[in-house]
Amino acid sequence: MTGVEAVVRGDAALLEDDLAEFLGSLTASARAATSVYDAALRRALYEPVADAVGSKVGQQALPPTPGAPGGRAPLRPSMVYWAYRNYRGFPEEAENASDFAVIRRTAVAVRILLKAAVALDDIQDGSDVRYGEPALHTTHGTPLALNTGAWLIMSALRHAADPAVVDSLVRSVGAGLTGQAVDMSSRTALTRAELMSAPRATRVDFWESTAALKTGTLFWMPLDAAVAGLRVVEDERLALDGAMRQLGLASQLFNDLTDFVPELGGANTHEDFDGLGNRVLLELLDDAPPGQDFKPYVLGHPRLERMLLALAEEAVALKRAAKDAVHGVCRSERSAGYFDVTIERKGHLIDRLLTTVRQRSGA
């Protein structure tokens, strides 16, 4: 294990400890509950919250390493901690106690918000499984899952505490909900008809605008909240915003393409054809007859393999451009290495997707 990875693991383990403390403080009184009211509160709020925040199965993580921080469990690095290491230094350097306290609270708040997004997104998409586990609304019911998601958002903003961080997180929540709304509109008759009749450039602009908000926010939120808390200069903050937008687009391309690649898509391959949010569908709509069933049309399209290859190459190019932009503001090689360890948990899958598509197409 490299020195950089040891720091990544240490920071990730600290985040897991802080998250466990958050959950522990929430459920401490519930464990001693004796009244009917207290028991109902435990079942209706505390248990769904614990299930939502504690879910880990299937997410990309650093594998356990004996003797390392958090070595007995998989760890999920945080972009929040990368920002601290980049702008305030590594453990052997002088630590800014007040800034580190802000970062610790910000990292927990970001994790809670991401879990809230999962709970709400699964309801909106009608997904019964997430990361190989039953979705929250399937185990606790839709009304409680909705309430849990809303409660988690409120709790995350309160936990963040720092006004600049809270302002950033509020903007992120608004952006994510906006993107989700437009994405859901792609399943409505009116938006579908407009997309079907629109030229390719308009369809791609629709996809990019939606993906930048819906998926890009998942990358942008942790980093922007952290640099807000650290009062990073505006020029670098904007550069990081642009890089996270590129990573969001690369990630959404990966998600869209894996619906057509059995080697990476798994059980969900060829399932997301009821909406028009998938970039592959939007690229190939020009010749689709009105009322056409999208599944046989797209899978039999003569340009499908070439389109998959072009979009896989685009995803890799976006990821590389984002990494170059972040490396441009890195204060040290160690900071760049920290970022790479953090982002390549999924980034390597984008590269693997391109390799797979090239093999399929014979390119």
Side-chain angles (χ1 to χ4, degrees):
M1 183 172 61
T2 67
V4 169
E5 186 178 330
V7 177
V8 174
R9 286 183 177 276
D11 291 344
L14 184 59
L15 171 54
E16 296 299 332
D17 290 344
D18 287 346
L19 197 65
E21 182 178 348
F22 168 84
L23 285 175
S25 65
L26 170 68
T27 59
S29 59
R31 289 195 294 271
T34 56
S35 72
V36 173
Y37 171 85
D38 288 338
L41 183 61
R42 182 184 66 246
R43 291 191 299 267
L45 180 61
Y46 297 152
E47 290 179 358
V49 165
D51 287 349
V53 176
S55 175
K56 292 187 174 191
V57 175
Q59 300 176 70
Q60 293 93 4
L62 293 174
T65 299
R72 292 176 295 176
L75 294 173
R76 286 148 190 88
S78 169
M79 292 295 292
V80 175
Y81 276 91
W82 170 81
Y84 182 84
R85 295 304 171 199
N86 186 55
Y87 290 103
R88 296 295 184 269
F90 280 72
E92 69 275 9
E93 302 172 59
E95 183 175 288
N96 185 312
S98 60
D99 282 350
F100 199 57
V102 168
I103 286 298
R104 290 179 65 172
R105 296 182 72 86
T106 300
V108 171
V110 165
R111 179 72 68 84
I112 295 169
L113 283 174
L114 292 175
K115 294 297 187 179
V118 167
L120 298 177
D121 184 72
D122 285 342
I123 295 171
Q124 293 164 338
D125 291 345
S127 301
D128 293 333
V129 177
R130 170 74 69 156
Y131 302 133
E133 298 177 336
L136 193 69
H137 67 94
T138 67
T139 55
H140 294 278
T142 297
L144 287 185
L146 284 170
N147 193 69
T148 298
W151 188 93
L152 286 172
I153 293 173
M154 176 275 298
S155 178
L157 297 175
R158 181 178 60 194
H159 187 82
D162 182 273
V165 174
V166 173
D167 179 68
S168 171
L169 293 177
V170 167
R171 289 188 291 112
S172 292
V173 170
L177 292 174
T178 301
Q180 189 75 346
V182 179
D183 183 57
M184 288 188 290
S185 80
S186 70
R187 301 175 186 275
T188 65
L190 183 57
T191 301
R192 287 162 68 95
E194 291 171 342
L195 286 171
M196 290 286 292
S197 62
R200 175 191 172 277
T202 300
R203 298 195 302 265
V204 172
D205 179 71
F206 174 90
W207 179 89
E208 287 186 351
S209 299
T210 304
L213 291 171
K214 181 174 182 285
T215 310
T217 298
L218 300 179
F219 291 87
W220 175 74
M221 177 177 66
L223 196 49
D224 190 74
V227 298
L230 296 173
R231 278 46 175 187
V232 172
V233 296
E234 189 66 17
D235 286 350
E236 292 200 3
R237 190 172 177 179
L238 289 174
L240 292 171
D241 286 351
M244 294 305 103
R245 182 183 186 277
Q246 290 174 311
L247 280 177
L249 295 179
S251 180
Q252 189 58 55
L253 275 174
F254 174 85
N255 294 340
D256 290 357
L257 288 167
T258 53
D259 199 45
F260 295 86
V261 184
E263 297 89 333
L264 293 171
N268 294 324
T269 303
H270 309 327
E271 293 299 320
D272 191 22
F273 287 173
D274 56 338
L276 286 179
N278 189 297
R279 175 71 178 272
V280 179
L281 301 182
L282 294 173
E283 290 280 358
L284 299 175
L285 276 182
D286 287 336
D287 303 321
Q292 170 74 47
D293 182 0
F294 287 136
K295 186 171 183 177
Y297 168 77
V298 175
L299 294 180
H301 200 287
R303 291 197 293 119
L304 176 61
E305 292 299 326
R306 281 179 289 162
M307 185 57 61
L308 294 179
L309 180 58
L311 294 180
E313 290 173 342
E314 182 178 333
V316 170
L318 283 166
K319 188 198 77 165
R320 289 175 179 167
K323 290 182 66 173
D324 288 344
V326 173
H327 287 174
V329 302
C330 283
R331 297 296 195 262
S332 67
E333 290 185 6
R334 295 176 73 194
S335 173
Y338 193 120
F339 176 81
D340 291 348
V341 169
T342 302
I343 211 64
E344 284 298 340
R345 290 181 300 140
K346 183 171 183 178
H348 80 279
L349 294 176
I350 295 175
D351 296 330
R352 179 182 157 201
L353 173 64
L354 176 57
T355 300
T356 300
V357 173
R358 280 174 171 167
Q359 291 172 342
R360 279 168 44 122
S361 65

